[in-house]
Amino acid sequence: QVQLVESGGGSVQTGGSLTLTCTVSGRTFLTYIMGWFRQAPGKEREFVAAISWSANTRKYLDSVKGRFTISRRNDENTAYLQMNSLEPGDTAVYFCAVRERVITPNYLMGSMGLEHEYDYWGQGTQVTVSS
């Protein structure tokens, strides 16, 4: 059914920038939340950023606020993660995720950071930041 493909990963030095792209294909009625998670070797997967369908609601991991920006183009079924001022701690495999179903507004922000609220996942793209 639904497939998510990430692209844009690579290797950069500290302070550099990368932009990740997530493209969704297949049959879906909505991609109500599009999000990014990451997993470093030997570590748990953690939430990075998410954006609602209208783009009116966004949530970020505290350590990336002011450095990362999530955006989306609904007409292209695509989400982006612009990453600036990259640090070695950002090194990880980055995964795109989609929640298909609507969430009532009072639960939206809280749901964005929870893996089990998402329905579809990409294969991931490697980001490596060297010091």
Side-chain angles (χ1 to χ4, degrees):
Q1 294 182 345
V2 177
Q3 286 190 306
L4 281 61
V5 178
E6 303 98 335
S7 62
S11 181
V12 298
Q13 293 183 323
T14 297
S17 297
L18 288 171
T19 299
L20 306 183
T21 300
C22 174
T23 299
V24 181
S25 62
R27 300 173 185 178
T28 59
F29 178 67
L30 284 176
T31 54
Y32 189 66
I33 304 173
M34 301 191 72
W36 291 93
F37 292 74
R38 68 187 183 187
Q39 187 169 27
K43 304 294 184 181
E44 298 286 331
R45 185 157 60 185
E46 66 177 349
F47 168 79
V48 178
I51 185 169
S52 64
W53 185 87
S54 68
N56 288 335
T57 302
R58 308 184 197 200
K59 184 176 181 177
Y60 294 94
L61 176 68
D62 285 346
S63 64
V64 309
K65 289 180 180 177
R67 300 190 297 119
F68 291 10
T69 302
I70 188 169
S71 60
R72 64 187 295 167
R73 288 282 304 273
N74 290 345
D75 57 342
E76 298 179 356
N77 232 9
T78 303
Y80 306 91
L81 185 68
Q82 182 179 328
M83 304 184 295
N84 298 324
S85 301
L86 284 162
E87 305 168 353
D90 298 316
T91 295
V93 177
Y94 283 70
F95 298 90
C96 181
V98 165
R99 177 184 169 90
E100 187 174 25
R101 298 289 187 175
V102 172
I103 304 174
T104 56
N106 54 325
Y107 289 102
L108 177 58
M109 184 70 75
S111 296
M112 282 182 162
L114 304 176
E115 291 187 27
H116 70 262
E117 296 289 351
Y118 293 83
D119 302 297
Y120 307 106
W121 294 82
Q123 293 296 307
T125 186
Q126 177 71 48
V127 171
T128 302
V129 185
S130 60
S131 60

